[in-house]
Amino acid sequence: MDQADYKPYIPGQGMNAWAHKDLIIYIDPDCEDNAFLGVQDPQNDNLWEIHALPGCGPWLAKEIDMLASTFFSEPSS
C-alpha cells in the first residue's frame, strides 16, 4: 500500500498548532480501551511523537465503524 505524500504543516508564528507531516490514530493492540495519536515530524519522516489517549479506544472503534459503514455499505435500492 502506498502512502500519500503530504506537504508538512508548519504553523505560522503565534499559532497554537502542532507542526506535523502525517497524523495517525490507532487503537492499542494490547489494550483496546486505549488509543494512540502519532504525529510525524515535518522535517524528519522517521521521527514520530506518540501521545497516549487512555480510555479513547471504544470511542475510536465506534468512529471507525461509522466511517466504514458510510464508505463501504451497499447502496439501498
Side-chain angles (χ1 to χ4, degrees):
M1 173 186 258
D2 290 328
Q3 180 178 351
D5 188 26
Y6 294 105
K7 294 184 180 189
Y9 171 72
I10 309 290
Q13 186 174 3
M15 293 179 68
N16 188 17
W18 282 332
H20 64 82
K21 184 161 183 189
D22 205 356
L23 299 171
I24 186 169
I25 187 168
Y26 58 96
I27 297 170
D28 183 348
D30 297 323
C31 179
E32 293 181 358
D33 285 338
N34 300 322
F36 292 98
L37 171 65
V39 181
Q40 187 179 31
D41 186 280
Q43 275 86 34
N44 181 347
D45 288 349
N46 296 317
L47 184 60
W48 289 79
E49 188 173 315
I50 305 299
H51 302 272
L53 304 171
C56 290
W59 165 82
L60 181 57
K62 288 178 188 175
E63 293 293 318
I64 293 168
D65 288 345
M66 285 191 304
L67 182 66
S69 69
T70 301
F71 287 102
F72 303 112
S73 63
E74 294 288 324
S76 57
S77 40

